[in-house]
């Protein structure tokens, strides 16, 4: 059973308060751990609260509320990049989580960089539609429309009433077309939920390179990105630094339709 959490309002009225994950009490007591994290949060011990939420996620599995709470902790710690990652993960688990969406938009409005357009208009519209509901929900809608299609076929072949046959014929065609659309959206929603190529800059700032290593000159510096900027990973290369012989991973990332470069793997985190 959820317990009420003290509400802390920011200057804009945005609420960054933890809410208990909707889990039933069990022998492993994840709810008690969540209560400890909530108490730490209300005591302004955001680092401890974040550690506990991460432990719950690692040991008992993720939930939208846990990632939402974790994002709130990171925001309070001034780690906006990590907060964005947490809110994005919350929305992947529950696209209808209005609190996570509101806080994500709030933090995104305060990051430094403003990348240009990404993708195409039709592709972005499709993705926005797919994110309205979970992939499972879209799949159930598709299943229902398929059932309506079968019903229309049965009406057409097994009734003698002309109006019912017409209704079954045209209704079945319409349901079949809608089934195809929702089935495609369900597949896209699944792809978005499982996409590991989306990442967020978590370093305060980082210089991207035209080559998969530290820029050796100003000519090799591609651009400067700041914490919270979202990028799409296209490729990766393991590189060994000549000075410290430490192997590092560099990612070829797309910032927007006009900017692409290599970024140090330690500067970003996958969503």
């Amino acid at each position: 059973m959820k317990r009420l959490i003290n509400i802390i309002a920011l200057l804009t009225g945005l609420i960054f308060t933890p809410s208990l994950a909707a889990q039933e009490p069990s022998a492993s007591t994840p709810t008690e751990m969540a209560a400890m994290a909530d108490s730490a949060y209300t005591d302004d011990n955001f680092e401890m609260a974040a550690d506990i939420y991460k432990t719950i996620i690692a040991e008992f599995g993720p939930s939208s509320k846990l990632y939402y709470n974790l994002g709130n902790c990171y925001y309070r710690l001034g780690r906006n990049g990590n907060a964005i990652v947490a809110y994005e993960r919350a929305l992947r688990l529950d696209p209808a989580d209005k609190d996570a969406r509101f806080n994500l938009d709030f933090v995104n409005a305060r990051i430094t960089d403003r990348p240009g357009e990404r993708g195409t208009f039709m592709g972005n519209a499709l993705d926005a539609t797919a994110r309205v509901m979970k992939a499972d929900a879209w799949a159930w809608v598709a299943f229902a429309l398929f059932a309506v299609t079968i019903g229309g076929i049965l009406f057409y072949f097994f009734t003698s009433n002309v109006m019912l046959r017409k209704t079954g014929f045209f209704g079945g065609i319409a349901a079949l077309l809608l089934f195809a659309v929702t089935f495609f959206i369900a597949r896209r929603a699944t792809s978005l939920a499982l996409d590991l190529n989306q990442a967020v800059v978590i370093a305060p700032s980082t210089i991207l390179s035209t080559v998969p290593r530290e820029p050796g000159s100003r000519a090799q510096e591609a651009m400067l990105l700041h914490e919270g900027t979202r990028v799409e990973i296209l490729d990766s290369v393991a590189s060994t630094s000549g000075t410290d012989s430490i192997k590092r991973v560099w990612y070829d990332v797309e910032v927007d339709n006009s900017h692409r470069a290599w970024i140090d793997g330690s500067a970003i985190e996958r969503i």
Side-chain angles (χ1 to χ4, degrees):
M1 187 174 181
K2 295 183 179 180
R3 71 181 181 84
L4 185 62
I5 304 301
N6 293 329
I7 300 177
I8 303 174
L10 296 182
L11 294 177
T12 60
L14 175 68
I15 303 303
F16 282 94
T17 56
S19 56
L20 283 176
Q23 301 180 28
E24 293 296 324
S26 64
S28 53
T29 64
T31 303
E32 292 183 7
M33 293 178 65
M36 291 173 56
D38 294 339
S39 297
Y41 184 95
T42 54
D43 290 338
D44 292 345
N45 194 340
F46 306 121
E47 194 72 55
M48 176 184 289
D51 289 340
I52 297 174
Y53 287 131
K54 287 189 291 185
T55 299
I56 298 173
I57 292 170
E59 294 186 2
F60 303 104
S63 74
S64 177
K65 289 301 181 184
L66 287 172
Y67 274 126
Y68 167 74
N69 292 345
L70 181 60
N72 292 346
C73 293
Y74 282 137
Y75 175 80
R76 293 293 190 176
L77 291 167
R79 296 162 62 179
N80 288 347
N82 294 100
I84 290 173
V85 171
Y87 293 139
E88 289 279 9
R89 289 173 178 172
L91 289 169
R92 284 194 176 190
L93 294 172
D94 183 8
D97 190 331
K98 295 181 180 179
D99 291 334
R101 171 63 61 189
F102 187 79
N103 287 7
L104 175 62
D105 292 342
F106 179 88
V107 178
N108 274 329
R110 281 151 180 77
I111 64 175
T112 302
D113 300 323
R114 291 289 179 268
E117 186 70 22
R118 291 182 61 186
T120 63
F121 175 79
M122 292 299 296
N124 293 336
L126 173 63
D127 290 351
T129 303
R131 291 189 178 102
V132 170
M133 298 189 297
K134 296 181 181 179
D136 289 348
W138 280 114
W140 277 111
V141 172
F143 177 79
L145 288 168
F146 182 74
V148 172
T149 302
I150 298 300
I153 294 173
L154 294 177
F155 265 103
Y156 180 76
F157 284 105
F158 295 102
T159 60
S160 56
N161 185 287
V162 176
M163 286 301 299
L164 289 178
R165 293 191 69 190
K166 287 184 176 180
T167 300
F169 179 78
F170 291 108
I173 291 177
L176 181 62
L177 293 175
L178 290 174
F179 161 74
V181 172
T182 53
F183 181 77
F184 181 73
I185 293 175
R187 288 177 60 88
R188 183 56 183 168
T190 301
S191 177
L192 290 173
L194 300 177
D195 187 4
L196 297 178
N197 292 326
Q198 302 300 315
V200 176
V201 177
I202 58 173
S205 64
T206 184
I207 296 177
L208 277 66
S209 176
T210 59
V211 292
R213 59 179 181 273
E214 289 283 355
S217 64
R218 292 293 298 273
Q220 292 181 345
E221 294 180 0
M223 69 190 79
L224 175 67
L225 291 184
H226 298 85
E227 184 176 14
T229 305
R230 184 167 177 162
V231 297
E232 181 178 359
I233 298 173
L234 304 176
D235 199 1
S236 64
V237 170
S239 176
T240 302
S241 172
T243 57
D244 50 22
S245 299
I246 297 177
K247 182 170 289 188
R248 300 161 68 180
V249 177
W250 285 81
Y251 291 106
D252 180 13
V253 298
E254 183 180 73
V255 181
D256 54 35
N257 291 340
S258 304
H259 298 89
R260 174 178 173 179
W262 293 88
I263 190 172
D264 186 348
S266 64
I268 61 175
E269 183 172 348
R270 294 178 187 265
I271 296 175

